Amino acid sequence: PPDLPGESERAKLRALADAWIPAAGDRPSASAAGAADAQLDRVLAARPDLAAAIRAALAALGLPDEPATALLRFAVAAAYY
């Protein structure tokens, strides 16, 4: 199994994810849909090769750089939809 993100990394991802996919109408926000929690775990079970890069992107201080942001957006979208 992949080395899954810890709680502090997931908290950072929840905040980023909700900025990218906010709640709208009857659609839940990304964090409410589990995009940084159970659904992310499902993505990483299917793509364990992404786990280390996701953790590294979330460990960086401040906002991640553009390649890391693209990876995180990909993971959030995959987890949400």
Side-chain angles (χ1 to χ4, degrees):
D3 189 15
L4 298 174
E7 182 53 37
S8 64
E9 294 161 329
R10 290 177 190 270
K12 184 175 182 178
L13 185 57
R14 283 184 207 105
L16 291 169
D18 283 349
W20 298 326
I21 306 176
D26 62 348
R27 236 184 44 212
S29 68
S31 66
D37 296 295
Q39 300 297 29
L40 176 65
D41 293 353
R42 290 181 62 178
V43 169
L44 294 178
R47 290 289 311 271
D49 58 303
L50 299 178
I54 287 172
R55 291 198 73 197
L58 293 170
L61 295 176
L63 295 174
D65 63 18
E66 190 54 39
T69 296
L71 171 64
L72 294 175
R73 283 180 186 247
F74 171 80
V76 166
Y80 186 83
Y81 296 103

